[in-house]
Amino acid sequence: MKFDRSKYNCIQYLPMNGDEQIWEMAISGVGFQSIEANESYPLKGHPIGYAFNPGRGRVIDEFAMVYIIQGKGTFVSASCEKKNVAKGDLFFVSPGEWHSYFPDRKTGWDEYWVTFKGAYFERLKDRIFNQKNPVLHVGIGAKIVSCFTEMLDCAKVQQSGFQIVLSGIMMHVIGLVYASQRNRDGETVYMQKIQEACILIRENIFDRVPPEEIARSLNMSYSCFRKTFKQCMGIAPHQYIIQLKISKIKEMLSETDLSVQEISSKMNFESADYFSYFFKRKTGINPLSYRKEIEKQRRKAGQGKDR
């Protein structure tokens, strides 16, 4: 089974309000691009100063981080000779330095990217990458991908204080990248496959994709997949999927105005009744009661601030 990631394509460029002076980090853009074989690159939607012709390259005045989770391609900069990059590779772009990167025409690639600036990373950069070799192999990290999806969700909504939230998540990403370089020798091929499985499960949480299908996509027998998944994650794949579904449902109940019927439909349940039964069986409370309890807690917290 081929999983279609193009439905997640997203390009978000953001205003910066001076918070980087306080938090020493600010995010100017974040996105995801799934490029098919022979598809033009980059996708449309990048403003002047960020869009570029891969043949000519570009220069930007901030850092960029690009994380490849599928496919392969090329990276080159003024300080770095042309390098092949592939799934599990992550590379940095430095401010003021000419660079270019692009997917292989035969394979395309899937990339997460973020552009950022601030004294926080300026102090750490030399411990994380070498400008002559800014390509790191971090493998497929479900936690890194989760951070990118959190940043994308935050960037889409842009609630009050979103730059502070983005900065915190980005600091977490930098920590994960640094840790991956310290621990990379201990990771097995099977552990990498389980990380890929976690990403696929998260990406398809709204669809009914059984664990057996995930195992087939990774060229693993289901018995081996289930055993390895449980060893790495501490729970079976089916339980992991249920936990993620419950977490996503709670998020929609507490952070959106979607009705129970709409959430049930979005999560691909047979009916709203079965959805409510499922949620109550797993949490001990029905969806509407959970939403009311969250609203009650928020009102109480708001009253406490007014005193």
Side-chain angles (χ1 to χ4, degrees):
M1 176 178 181
K2 177 175 170 54
F3 290 92
D4 178 20
R5 287 190 169 103
S6 63
K7 58 186 176 182
Y8 301 110
N9 284 343
C10 181
I11 298 170
Q12 293 285 326
Y13 284 92
L14 307 161
M16 292 190 286
N17 55 15
D19 279 344
E20 68 269 21
Q21 300 301 321
I22 302 171
W23 298 97
E24 299 189 328
M25 174 75 76
I27 311 303
S28 57
V30 60
F32 174 80
Q33 296 182 124
S34 182
I35 309 298
E36 297 289 335
N38 298 310
E39 187 176 5
S40 61
Y41 180 83
L43 298 177
K44 294 180 179 179
H46 297 272
I48 295 173
Y50 291 94
F52 69 103
N53 180 316
R56 291 195 297 268
R58 68 176 181 182
V59 175
I60 58 177
D61 65 356
E62 57 222 335
F63 289 103
M65 175 194 290
V66 181
Y67 182 35
I68 310 302
I69 64 166
Q70 196 63 255
K72 61 182 180 179
T74 302
F75 171 82
V76 63
S77 73
S79 301
C80 175
E81 296 180 355
K82 188 178 290 187
K83 286 187 175 293
N84 294 326
V85 292
K87 180 172 74 173
D89 287 340
L90 178 150
F91 56 85
F92 289 95
V93 170
S94 295
E97 181 169 50
W98 176 88
H99 62 275
S100 184
Y101 52 88
F102 47 89
D104 187 296
R105 296 286 293 179
K106 293 180 181 178
T107 64
W109 74 18
D110 292 351
E111 65 167 57
Y112 283 98
W113 59 268
V114 58
T115 52
F116 59 101
K117 61 174 60 177
Y120 177 83
F121 191 67
E122 288 281 359
R123 289 196 301 272
L124 292 175
K125 63 180 181 179
D126 292 336
R127 297 188 180 188
I128 296 175
F129 76 97
N130 183 326
Q131 204 158 332
K132 291 183 179 180
N133 185 18
V135 179
L136 308 176
H137 184 71
V138 300
I140 300 300
K143 289 182 179 179
I144 296 177
V145 170
S146 178
C147 285
F148 269 108
T149 56
E150 281 185 55
M151 284 196 286
L152 285 169
D153 289 343
C154 182
K156 288 173 188 175
V157 179
Q158 294 187 31
Q159 292 181 332
S160 177
F162 74 92
Q163 271 291 357
I164 298 170
V165 175
L166 287 172
S167 295
I169 300 171
M170 188 60 201
M171 289 175 185
H172 188 191
V173 172
I174 292 167
L176 291 170
V177 172
Y178 180 72
S180 76
Q181 296 305 289
R182 299 284 298 271
N183 303 325
R184 61 184 174 180
D185 292 339
E187 196 160 83
T188 67
V189 172
Y190 278 134
M191 288 171 69
Q192 272 291 287
K193 284 183 176 289
I194 298 307
Q195 290 291 302
E196 290 186 56
C198 290
I199 291 169
L200 289 172
I201 291 169
R202 283 182 178 275
E203 288 179 342
N204 294 276
I205 197 63
F206 293 114
D207 303 315
R208 290 182 180 177
V209 180
E212 293 83 357
E213 198 68 63
I214 299 287
R216 278 195 292 273
S217 74
L218 298 171
N219 296 315
M220 295 178 71
S221 69
Y222 182 65
S223 60
C224 178
F225 171 72
R226 188 181 185 283
K227 180 180 178 181
T228 309
F229 193 99
K230 194 166 184 179
Q231 287 174 341
C232 293
M233 305 302 295
I235 56 174
H238 179 67
Q239 290 301 118
Y240 183 80
I241 291 171
I242 288 175
Q243 286 187 10
L244 284 185
K245 281 185 178 292
I246 291 295
S247 178
K248 181 57 69 173
I249 292 167
K250 285 181 176 180
E251 179 184 311
M252 288 190 285
L253 285 169
S254 62
E255 298 180 13
T256 77
D257 294 325
L258 294 174
S259 67
V260 168
Q261 178 71 50
E262 288 170 327
I263 295 174
S264 168
S265 176
K266 194 172 180 65
M267 294 299 295
N268 243 313
F269 280 85
E270 301 167 7
S271 67
D273 286 342
Y274 180 70
F275 166 73
S276 295
Y277 165 76
F278 169 83
F279 187 82
K280 185 172 183 179
R281 184 161 59 92
K282 297 299 179 183
T283 66
I285 188 171
N286 67 51
L288 284 178
S289 296
Y290 177 82
R291 174 171 273 170
K292 288 177 181 177
E293 182 61 29
I294 292 296
E295 291 172 352
K296 179 181 175 182
Q297 291 175 13
R298 284 176 176 161
R299 284 195 300 270
K300 186 181 292 185
Q303 290 169 358
K305 288 179 182 179
D306 293 336
R307 288 174 185 168

